[in-house]
Amino acid sequence: MNCSISGEVPEEPVVSKSSGLLFEKRLIERHISDYGKCPITGEPLTMDDIVPINSGKIVKPRPVQAASIPGMLGMFQIEWDGLMLSNFALEQQLHTARQELSHALYQHDAACRVIARLKKERDEARAMLTHAERQIPMSVEAPDAANAAAVSNGKRALEDDVMGPDGKRIRPGISSSIISELTDCNAVLSQQRKKRQIPAMLAPIDAVERYTQLTVNPLHRTNKPGILSMDILHSKDIIATAGVDANAVIFDRPSGQVVSSLSGHSKKVTSVKFAAEGELVITGSADKTVRLWQGSEGGSFDFKHILKDHTAEVQAVTVHATNYYFVTASLDSTWCFYDLASGLCLTQVQDTSEASEGYTSAAFHPDGLILGTGTAGSIVKIWDVKSQTNVARFDGHVGAVNAISFSENGYFLATAAQDGVKLWDLRRLKNFRTITPYDENTPTQSVEFDHSGNYLALGGSDIRVYQVANVKSEWNCIKTFPDLSGTGKATSVKFGPDAKYLAVGSMDRNLRIFGLPEDGGPLES
C-alpha cells in the first residue's frame, strides 16, 4: 500500500480513524500541525485520530541499473566522470590560488623596494636639509616675503648644485658656520697637541731596529698588478689598498683576510681613505671620479655616491680632522672641498699658476686649517682652508711631488719627489734638511710620519725608517728594509697603531707587513 500523500510505500505507516486513509507519519504530522485537517478529504483532523500500523520491514527494490553488469559499469563510469570533474575543478582552484599568491608576493616585494627607496631618499633629503641649515644661519629672520623666498632659493641652490649661465656649477662655498666649525676643531686639537705626550705603548727604537717581514699578502689582480695608495684604520686595525686593477681592497690585518673588494672605477684607483671612524671609504681614480662607499654589517662596503667634479685624474684624497669634510686634488689643477654626509662639493679652487701642472698629492695639517698640496711641477703649496688662498709656496724639488705628510706636532712637513725627501719647517717656512736615499733615476714614492710624530718612513726601491729630531739635530736612519727593486718599488708606507708594524704597498701588488713576531719567537734574517 502506498502513502496517500507521497504515493510511495511508507516507512512508518499510520491510518486515519475517520477516513481510513494511509499516511506516512512524518508527513501527516507536519500537515496536521500546519493546517489541522485531512489533506485528502479536508475534514478536521488531529493526532488523536491517527493510529499507527504494525507492518513488516519493507525492502526497497534495487534500481534497474544495479540489476545487471552493464548497468553497474554505467554507474561506475558516471561516478568516475563526476570524480574527475571534481578533481579538475579542484586543480583549477589550486592554480588560481597559486596565481593570486604569486601576485600578492610580487606586490609585497615591490612595496618593500619602494619603501626602501623612499627611506633612502628621505635620509638623503634629511642630510641635504641638515647641510643647507648649516650653510644658511637660521637665526637670520626674513623680514618680508621676498627675503623668505631668497632664503628658500638659497637652500634649493645648495641641494640642486645648479649650473650658472657660463655652464659651470655654482658652488655654495664654505659658509661662516663651517669656518666656525673648522676653527673650533683647530682650537681643540691645538690645545691637545700642546699637552700631548709620547704614547706609553709606542714601539721603542730598538724594537723598530729589529723589525722583519711578517707577511706578504697579494691583494690585487695579476693582470694589472700594483698598489698605488693605502690607508690604515687604527681603531679596527684594517687596511685599505688602492690598485692599478681599478679596485680597492679592505684587508683585516689580524685575521689576514680580505673583507671587502670595492669595484666600480673604470681606471686605476690612485688614492683611498677611511672616513667617519671607518663607516665610509673614499676612493679617487684616474677615471676622473671620486666614489664614496658605505660600510655595512660584516665589514663589507657598498657604493653610496659618485662625484664627477674633476676633469682629469684624481690623484689624492685627504679627510679633515672633524670627519665631516674631505678634499680631493686632481691633475686638472683644482682641489675640491666636499661635505662628507651629502657628497656635495662646497667649493672648487683653481690653481692658475703656469708651473702647477696639476696636483699629485694633498694632505690636511693635523689641526685642519691648513692644506698642503704637491704638484706635477715640483712645487709644494700651502693653502688657508678658510679663505682658500695660497699662503706659502715651497720650491726646490725635482720632478712631481709624489707624497706629502705633516708631523703630528704640526711643525714639520715632509715631501717626496724624484730627488728624495725634503723636510720643511712650517714656522720659518723653509727647507732645513734633504734626504737622498736613492740615485737620481729612482724617485721616492711615499713618505709618512707615524701618528706619534716620532718616526718617519719613506719608500722607493727600498723602505727606510728615520728617527724624528728637530731642525738642528740629525735625523738618523734606524732601519732599512729589503730592496724591492726586483719585485716592485714601494709606492705607499703607513705605520700601524703605536708604530707596532709598518705596512708597505708595492707595484708587485703585494701588501707587506713588517714588525716583530707576536709570539716573541726568533726573527728572520
Side-chain angles (χ1 to χ4, degrees):
M1 296 177 65
N2 294 334
C3 173
S4 299
I5 297 177
S6 63
E8 297 180 356
V9 177
E11 295 181 358
E12 190 175 359
V14 293
V15 67
S16 172
K17 295 179 182 179
S18 58
S19 64
L21 295 173
L22 182 69
F23 299 101
E24 176 70 57
K25 184 179 180 181
R26 57 183 177 80
L27 296 179
I28 195 62
E29 284 180 349
R30 187 182 304 168
H31 189 81
I32 291 174
S33 64
D34 292 341
Y35 303 103
K37 61 182 179 179
C38 178
I40 304 300
T41 63
E43 297 178 355
L45 185 66
T46 65
M47 290 303 297
D48 294 335
D49 297 329
I50 299 300
V51 179
I53 299 176
N54 295 326
S55 63
K57 185 177 180 181
I58 299 173
V59 179
K60 294 181 179 180
R62 290 185 297 177
V64 177
Q65 294 88 347
S68 64
I69 292 178
M72 294 178 67
L73 291 176
M75 291 175 57
F76 293 155
Q77 183 66 46
I78 293 172
E79 290 182 4
W80 174 260
D81 293 343
L83 179 62
M84 290 299 101
L85 288 173
S86 176
N87 185 58
F88 178 74
L90 289 175
E91 287 183 351
Q92 282 189 319
Q93 293 177 2
L94 176 61
H95 180 68
T96 303
R98 284 177 174 174
Q99 285 184 323
E100 292 176 352
L101 178 60
S102 176
H103 185 64
L105 291 175
Y106 175 78
Q107 288 182 323
H108 176 267
D109 183 61
C112 289
R113 290 198 300 269
V114 171
I115 292 171
R117 179 172 57 82
L118 291 176
K119 285 184 177 180
K120 181 180 179 181
E121 292 177 354
R122 179 202 64 186
D123 294 341
E124 291 177 351
R126 286 177 175 174
M128 296 292 286
L129 178 60
T130 301
H131 175 69
E133 290 175 347
R134 287 207 304 264
Q135 296 294 319
I136 302 177
M138 299 304 293
S139 60
V140 179
E141 297 182 358
D144 51 32
N147 287 341
V151 172
S152 175
N153 291 337
K155 288 185 178 181
R156 191 177 299 111
L158 286 174
E159 294 178 358
D160 295 343
D161 194 20
V162 297
M163 306 296 287
D166 57 354
K168 295 183 179 180
R169 284 188 175 89
I170 298 176
R171 307 298 185 191
I174 302 178
S175 68
S176 57
S177 60
I178 294 180
I179 291 176
S180 177
E181 189 176 13
L182 301 182
T183 304
D184 293 343
C185 177
N186 172 266
V188 172
L189 294 177
S190 297
Q191 189 65 26
Q192 291 177 352
R193 190 178 68 232
K194 293 178 180 178
K195 300 178 181 179
R196 185 180 181 87
Q197 298 180 350
I198 298 176
M201 298 299 293
L202 180 69
I205 294 177
D206 60 342
V208 176
E209 290 175 343
R210 293 183 293 116
Y211 279 2
T212 187
Q213 182 170 289
L214 300 179
T215 61
V216 179
N217 308 281
L219 300 184
H220 292 266
R221 297 175 183 172
T222 56
N223 58 338
K224 292 183 178 180
I227 294 174
L228 299 179
S229 179
M230 178 172 54
D231 195 24
I232 299 178
L233 183 62
H234 286 192
S235 61
K236 298 181 180 179
D237 203 4
I238 57 176
I239 302 173
T241 61
V244 181
D245 61 356
N247 294 325
V249 173
I250 309 301
F251 177 75
D252 181 69
R253 192 197 67 84
S255 66
Q257 299 296 319
V258 172
V259 296
S260 186
S261 182
L262 313 183
S263 301
H265 286 291
S266 59
K267 294 184 179 180
K268 62 184 179 182
V269 181
T270 56
S271 185
V272 61
K273 285 290 181 181
F274 286 107
E277 300 299 324
E279 294 181 4
L280 293 172
V281 169
I282 310 169
T283 56
S285 170
D287 63 7
K288 308 176 186 179
T289 68
V290 176
R291 289 178 179 253
L292 272 64
W293 310 82
Q294 178 71 54
S296 59
E297 294 183 3
S300 62
F301 286 82
D302 301 318
F303 172 71
K304 182 179 181 183
H305 292 304
I306 181 170
L307 314 177
K308 301 180 179 180
D309 298 284
H310 289 292
T311 58
E313 291 188 11
V314 179
Q315 290 285 299
V317 173
T318 180
V319 180
H320 190 268
T322 58
N323 259 315
Y324 297 150
Y325 311 99
F326 68 95
V327 162
T328 61
S330 169
L331 289 179
D332 63 5
S333 297
T334 68
W335 57 268
C336 293
F337 187 92
Y338 287 95
D339 175 75
L340 185 62
S342 63
L344 180 67
C345 178
L346 303 182
T347 186
Q348 186 169 14
V349 181
Q350 177 76 39
D351 187 356
T352 57
S353 62
E354 296 180 357
S356 70
E357 299 180 14
Y359 295 114
T360 52
S361 55
F364 271 113
H365 186 274
D367 293 346
L369 289 184
I370 294 176
L371 175 71
T373 57
T375 71
S378 310
I379 301 171
V380 178
K381 290 191 172 185
I382 306 298
W383 301 82
D384 180 357
V385 177
K386 294 188 295 183
S387 62
Q388 301 98 60
T389 56
N390 181 209
V391 295
R393 168 183 170 134
F394 299 145
D395 300 307
H397 267 302
V398 174
V401 180
N402 298 317
I404 67 175
S405 178
F406 287 96
S407 66
E408 186 60 28
N409 61 14
Y411 299 150
F412 305 133
L413 172 66
T415 58
Q418 180 77 30
D419 55 346
V421 172
K422 288 185 179 293
L423 301 172
W424 309 88
D425 185 348
L426 296 177
R427 293 165 292 185
R428 294 184 175 88
L429 299 180
K430 67 177 184 179
N431 170 234
F432 66 90
R433 181 162 281 100
T434 299
I435 302 173
T436 54
Y438 316 117
D439 59 47
E440 59 182 9
N441 296 321
T442 305
T444 305
Q445 297 290 334
S446 180
V447 64
E448 183 79 12
F449 284 100
D450 83 297
H451 191 63
S452 70
N454 285 269
Y455 300 113
L456 176 72
L458 58 88
S461 62
D462 61 17
I463 308 101
R464 304 187 186 195
V465 179
Y466 289 79
Q467 181 184 7
V468 174
N470 54 38
V471 174
K472 296 181 179 180
S473 302
E474 188 67 27
W475 292 46
N476 297 319
C477 179
I478 58 178
K479 181 67 176 180
T480 300
F481 294 103
D483 184 359
L484 298 178
S485 59
T487 57
K489 61 187 178 183
T491 56
S492 182
V493 291
K494 292 282 183 180
F495 285 97
D498 296 320
K500 291 298 177 61
Y501 65 85
L502 183 70
V504 178
S506 65
M507 288 304 293
D508 63 354
R509 82 186 181 101
N510 288 313
L511 171 65
R512 291 176 169 82
I513 304 297
F514 295 89
L516 294 179
E518 295 182 0
D519 59 1
L523 297 173
E524 298 179 2
S525 58

